[in-house]
């Protein structure tokens, strides 16, 4: 299918609008819409928050009567079903739009293909596939949840230049500078949930809330604690940031009660090794609406997630310092006997954050 330069420019604008929802739309997808008539943008909008009008409705309200005969550029197939808001496909039909260009088909079963079919049946010219790769990046969490049944998992790590995350005695704060830490809080703000392990909580007692940047919501916090070793006096359970999900292999209800009394949810997900089944945990988080999952954990949980092939990308902050051979590393893997067994990664992006280096990595 051939698209014009104008088509590309307008879809690029719609994708920029969709990005404005990166902090607020969860669990809904990020969607932008631009309505163009006679080469002029007459309406545009983006989905702000679940339960509120979708991008198309905002754009149509702005366009008014000028939407009749216009082209609507949408980053995701317009919905065709009644949820908390009426169908966007229906709104486009009622407004008299002549053409709809969607970046991609919505894989969500209640919508998939049905919105585009509704538009075609109403006599509207429909095309899709324009800048689909870019649209998929905008909604990587939503798409992972719907298509794979698990969240998009980003491993956040901070280390010295020799790859050390903590001293042998466990001291780890602070390896990176304030700019990198602020960047981490921005990542938290964009995430649906933050996952950590019992070792990290016992060593550092983090709250895992967003504090360094403005946010209208706090991500959910998930603690992997196979043996229920973390006391309920930990900062995670102080009531800030909402209820904590505690994933454990302990099935004894009496052991759960102290956590439940602090407002936590307890999920019993034992694996074959007596630890939490991480794949089952991610599947349940997806069912609970978690699309983008950020992990801030120690070497043990980091290694387990990589070994289970559950990591989609990693963000590694490298501080301009060295900690020496005896300090703790990024992954608690058994000693390798062959370089052929080393883990390969692809470096997708590198930039400076204050005095620290930020690497975006993909395991290959």
């Amino acid at each position: 299918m051939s698209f014009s330069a104008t088509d590309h420019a307008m879809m690029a604008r719609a994708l920029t609008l969709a990005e404005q929802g990166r902090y607020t739309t969860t669990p809904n997808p990020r969607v932008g819409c631009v309505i163009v008539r006679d080469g002029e943008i007459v309406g545009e909008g983006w989905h702000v928050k679940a339960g509120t009008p979708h991008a198309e409705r905002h754009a149509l309200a702005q366009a008014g009567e000028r939407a009749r005969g216009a082209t609507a550029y949408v980053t995701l197939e317009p919905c065709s079903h009644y949820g908390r808001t009426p169908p966007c496909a229906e709104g486009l039909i009622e407004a008299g739009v002549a053409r709809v260009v969607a970046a991609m088909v919505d894989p969500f079963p209640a919508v998939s293909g049905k919105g585009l079919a509704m538009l075609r049946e109403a006599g509207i010219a429909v095309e899709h596939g324009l800048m689909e790769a870019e649209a998929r990046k905008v909604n990587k969490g939503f798409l992972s949840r719907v298509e794979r049944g698990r969240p998009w998992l980003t491993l956040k790590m901070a280390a010295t230049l020799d790859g050390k995350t903590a001293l042998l005695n466990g001291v780890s704060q602070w390896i990176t500078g304030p700019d990198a830490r602020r960047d981490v809080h921005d990542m938290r703000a964009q995430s649906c949930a933050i996952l950590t392990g019992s070792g990290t909580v016992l060593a550092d007692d983090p709250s895992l809330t967003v504090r360094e940047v403005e946010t209208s919501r706090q991500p959910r916090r998930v603690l992997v604690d196979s043996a229920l070793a973390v006391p309920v006096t930990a900062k995670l359970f102080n009531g800030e940031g909402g209820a904590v999900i505690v994933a454990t292999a302990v099935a004894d209800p009496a052991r759960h009660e102290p956590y439940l009394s602090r407002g936590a949810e307890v999920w019993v997900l034992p694996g074959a090794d007596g630890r939490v089944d991480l794949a089952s945990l991610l599947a349940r988080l997806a069912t609970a609406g978690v699309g983008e999952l950020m992990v801030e954990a120690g070497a043990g949980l980091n290694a387990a997630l990589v070994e289970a092939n559950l990591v989609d990308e990693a963000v590694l902050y490298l501080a301009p310092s060295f900690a020496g051979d005896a300090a703790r590393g990024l992954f608690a893997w058994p000693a390798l006997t062959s370089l052929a067994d080393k883990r390969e990664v692809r470096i997708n992006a590198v930039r400076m954050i204050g005095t620290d280096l930020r690497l975006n990595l993909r395991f290959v």
Side-chain angles (χ1 to χ4, degrees), residues 35-54:
I35 298 176
V36 179
R37 180 173 174 178
D38 298 327
E40 177 189 357
I41 294 177
V42 295
E44 58 182 29
W46 52 282
H47 183 44
V48 179
K49 186 178 181 181
T52 65
H54 291 182

Side-chain angles (χ1 to χ4, degrees), residues 144 148 150-155 195 276-283 293 295 301-313 363:
S144 179
R148 302 189 301 177
R150 69 171 180 83
W152 180 272
L153 192 151
T154 301
L155 204 61
L195 178 75
V276 170
D277 185 319
L278 296 173
S280 295
L281 172 58
L282 264 61
L293 179 65
V295 176
L301 185 52
N302 287 348
L305 289 165
V306 173
E307 289 287 347
N309 294 315
L310 297 173
V311 178
D312 292 300
E313 65 179 332
F363 286 88

Side-chain angles (χ1 to χ4, degrees), residues 203-239:
D204 298 334
D205 197 20
S207 62
L208 297 181
T209 54
V210 180
R211 302 180 303 279
E212 298 279 340
V213 298
E214 289 188 16
T215 183
S216 61
R217 64 169 183 88
Q218 290 287 343
R220 302 190 74 175
R221 293 166 300 162
V222 184
L223 170 63
V224 177
D225 189 359
S226 296
L228 291 181
V230 174
V232 294
T233 54
K235 288 180 184 176
L236 279 180
F237 303 108
N238 66 7

Side-chain angles (χ1 to χ4, degrees), residues 261-307:
S261 68
R262 296 300 293 266
E265 297 179 45
V266 178
W267 294 359
V268 180
L269 301 167
D273 58 357
R275 298 178 180 273
V276 170
D277 185 319
L278 296 173
S280 295
L281 172 58
L282 264 61
R284 185 160 175 181
L285 286 171
T287 301
V290 174
E292 293 188 34
L293 179 65
M294 179 178 172
V295 176
E296 298 190 51
L301 185 52
N302 287 348
L305 289 165
V306 173
E307 289 287 347

Side-chain angles (χ1 to χ4, degrees), residues 135-169:
R136 291 188 68 86
K137 289 179 183 177
V138 170
N139 276 315
K140 60 187 180 182
F142 170 77
L143 295 173
S144 179
R145 179 169 65 82
V146 173
E147 295 176 341
R148 302 189 301 177
R150 69 171 180 83
W152 180 272
L153 192 151
T154 301
L155 204 61
K156 188 277 312 183
M157 301 173 290
T160 58
L161 285 177
D162 51 348
K164 303 302 181 180
T165 63
L167 301 182
L168 191 60
N169 62 8

